[in-house]
Amino acid sequence: MNPKGSSVLHNRSFLHLWIARIFSTSAFQMLSVAIGWQMYALTDSAFQLGLVGLAQFLPMLLLTLPAGQTADRYDRRTIVYLCQLMESVVVLLLVLGSLQGWLGSLHLLVAAAILGACRTFEGPASAALVPDIVDREQLPKAAAWSASAMQTAMIVGPSLGGVLVVWGTAAANIASLAALLISTVLIFFVKTVHFVKKLDAVNMDTFLSGLKFVFARKIILGTISLDLFAVLLGGATALLPIFAEDILKTGSLGLGLLRSAPAVGAILVSLILTRYSVEKAIGKTLFASLVVFALATILFGVSHSFWLSLFALFLIGASDVVSVVIRSTLVQVNTPQEMQGRVNAVNSLFIGTSNQLGEFESGTMAGLVGAVPATVIGGLGTLVITVVWMYWLFPVLRTQKTYMAEKG
């Protein structure tokens, strides 16, 4: 492997953060499987599945800007550490509720909302930690390694969650709690070296400065808004419990395999990106990945074969991680150190909107027209968005080649 790329993992603090992300993301993936499975078991409702995503999204919508300010004013490592401790308390209550049998749909929604609030503060601080502990020239490789950590967790988490719910959701929740506690310990040993603390007074201008920064740079705005709308429309993963139970007839173990299939594709591509750069054709690569994402979503929607569905989900994950690496690298390379928290908060809001609100959209659409038509419509919508962004709204993004974007 390229020594320059591998040197990122020689940074002890980055290695701790990288492993911590695997454990914390695995925990939330297991929780996602457990909460989704339990919600559908309790309600037999696609709409209720969508509400889980909405419950996670609303705190993010309300708290993103304060979270960005917090990440720029206080030690980012401490913020992540405290958030994970609070998340552990919530998961402990889920464990007790599962074991004692008092968990209902409302409890699950409240837990999802609290976890969403914690993740809203944790996300920008965790993302902004990377430039705090690695040199700027290492950021593209660090972004690729970070993506591989996330996708490793998305293989381990759903698969393990799907297996554990066979023995009950309490088992999945206990494993999630253990993973969160391990992550918390690792974060405690991360040491920052580049953090620039923001000391100016808080006012409306500084409160909105992250939004202003993003909207003043068409390359960043085009990239993250493209991801927002494309994944918002093409998010079929929220419907996987329905596909596993009612269409593919695979049960909870099959659900775990379906949930992990996108991550298998994503981790393979992210590992490739740690060795080979796409910097000579960022724009074209981004749009090509979205076309593959859309077509794979349509293929998954129409498939009634378990293996074909796994292949389609594999392609969804492989194509999606390309935009993840491009987006996160663009944000970190083109953002001043003292604004990393606020800008990453805006980026987290776009990501959260595409994921959590996308789950609500998918669940609502599936409740109206059925899971298969909803998935196909979402894939077609992603194709339309890709063409509109490419030729009308952000044509400059199509010709972008390097990570260092021009202002304006």
Side-chain angles (χ1 to χ4, degrees):
M1 182 168 291
N2 188 326
K4 193 173 183 179
S6 62
S7 66
V8 177
L9 292 186
H10 293 161
N11 181 323
R12 187 175 292 258
S13 287
F14 181 78
L15 181 61
H16 287 155
L17 178 62
W18 186 73
I19 297 173
R21 283 182 170 178
I22 293 177
F23 277 99
S24 63
T25 306
S26 294
F28 279 93
Q29 291 299 313
M30 285 187 282
L31 283 172
S32 180
V33 172
I35 291 175
W37 188 261
Q38 193 162 11
M39 179 65 80
Y40 195 59
L42 288 170
T43 65
D44 196 31
S45 169
F47 180 72
Q48 290 288 335
L49 270 180
L51 284 181
V52 173
L54 184 62
Q56 292 176 303
F57 169 74
L58 288 179
M60 181 178 296
L61 180 65
L62 297 173
L63 299 174
T64 287
L65 295 182
Q69 288 284 339
T70 303
D72 282 337
R73 292 178 177 275
Y74 302 99
D75 182 68
R76 292 158 181 167
R77 180 193 67 97
T78 302
I79 294 170
V80 176
Y81 178 76
L82 292 176
C83 286
Q84 292 190 356
L85 282 178
M86 289 188 285
E87 291 156 9
S88 298
V89 172
V90 174
V91 179
L92 177 60
L93 292 175
L94 287 175
V95 170
L96 294 175
S98 297
L99 291 174
Q100 297 172 3
W102 50 260
L103 270 183
S105 59
L106 181 59
H107 298 115
L108 293 174
L109 292 176
V110 171
I114 297 174
L115 290 171
C118 291
R119 294 287 279 181
T120 299
F121 280 89
E122 179 187 343
S126 179
L129 261 179
V130 177
D132 284 352
I133 59 182
V134 304
D135 296 329
R136 183 166 288 263
E137 62 269 17
Q138 293 180 311
L139 287 176
K141 299 296 185 184
W145 277 112
S146 296
S148 73
M150 299 290 287
Q151 302 308 325
T152 297
M154 293 181 70
I155 294 174
V156 174
S159 301
L160 188 56
V163 171
L164 290 174
V165 294
V166 174
W167 286 278
T169 54
N173 291 334
I174 291 171
S176 299
L177 178 60
L180 272 175
L181 292 175
I182 292 172
S183 176
T184 303
V185 172
L186 288 167
I187 291 296
F188 183 79
F189 291 102
V190 170
K191 297 185 183 300
T192 60
V193 293
H194 301 304
F195 177 56
V196 178
K197 188 173 182 178
K198 185 171 178 57
L199 297 174
D200 59 321
V202 178
N203 53 42
M204 187 56 66
D205 186 60
T206 60
F207 194 69
L208 299 175
S209 56
L211 282 171
K212 291 179 180 178
F213 184 92
V214 170
F215 278 86
R217 288 155 178 80
K218 291 183 179 180
I219 295 298
I220 296 179
L221 177 62
T223 301
I224 65 177
S225 61
L226 175 63
D227 178 81
L228 185 157
F229 288 104
V231 179
L232 173 65
L233 293 173
T237 54
L239 305 178
L240 288 182
I242 300 175
F243 276 90
E245 185 74 10
D246 300 334
I247 297 173
L248 300 174
K249 311 288 187 185
T250 62
S252 61
L253 182 58
L255 173 62
L257 293 174
L258 291 171
R259 286 296 299 265
S260 63
V264 174
I267 193 172
L268 290 178
V269 172
S270 64
L271 289 175
I272 292 172
L273 292 176
T274 64
R275 298 192 61 178
Y276 303 102
S277 174
V278 297
E279 192 162 346
K280 293 183 178 180
I282 284 178
K284 291 179 180 178
T285 303
L286 179 62
F287 285 113
S289 69
L290 264 294
V291 171
V292 174
F293 179 88
L295 294 176
T297 299
I298 296 171
L299 177 62
F300 174 75
V302 299
S303 170
H304 283 74
S305 163
F306 178 68
W307 296 108
L308 183 59
S309 296
L310 284 178
F311 175 68
L313 290 170
F314 174 91
L315 291 179
I316 287 173
S319 56
D320 184 54
V321 77
V322 175
S323 70
V324 170
V325 171
I326 290 175
R327 182 181 65 250
S328 59
T329 304
L330 276 170
V331 170
Q332 291 174 346
V333 167
N334 294 283
T335 301
Q337 197 69 24
E338 68 274 10
M339 288 190 64
Q340 285 282 339
R342 283 164 288 168
V343 174
N344 274 291
V346 176
N347 193 30
S348 295
L349 178 61
F350 277 75
I351 296 171
T353 300
S354 63
N355 292 334
Q356 274 75 52
L357 193 58
E359 291 183 11
F360 177 69
E361 179 273 333
S362 296
T364 302
M365 182 68 72
L368 293 174
V369 300
V372 170
T375 303
V376 173
I377 291 170
L380 292 173
T382 299
L383 281 178
V384 172
I385 290 294
T386 301
V387 172
V388 170
W389 258 240
M390 187 188 302
Y391 292 106
W392 283 284
L393 292 185
F394 297 96
V396 65
L397 184 57
R398 188 177 71 251
T399 57
Q400 183 69 20
K401 294 182 179 180
T402 65
Y403 283 117
M404 187 57 66
E406 295 181 2
K407 295 183 179 180

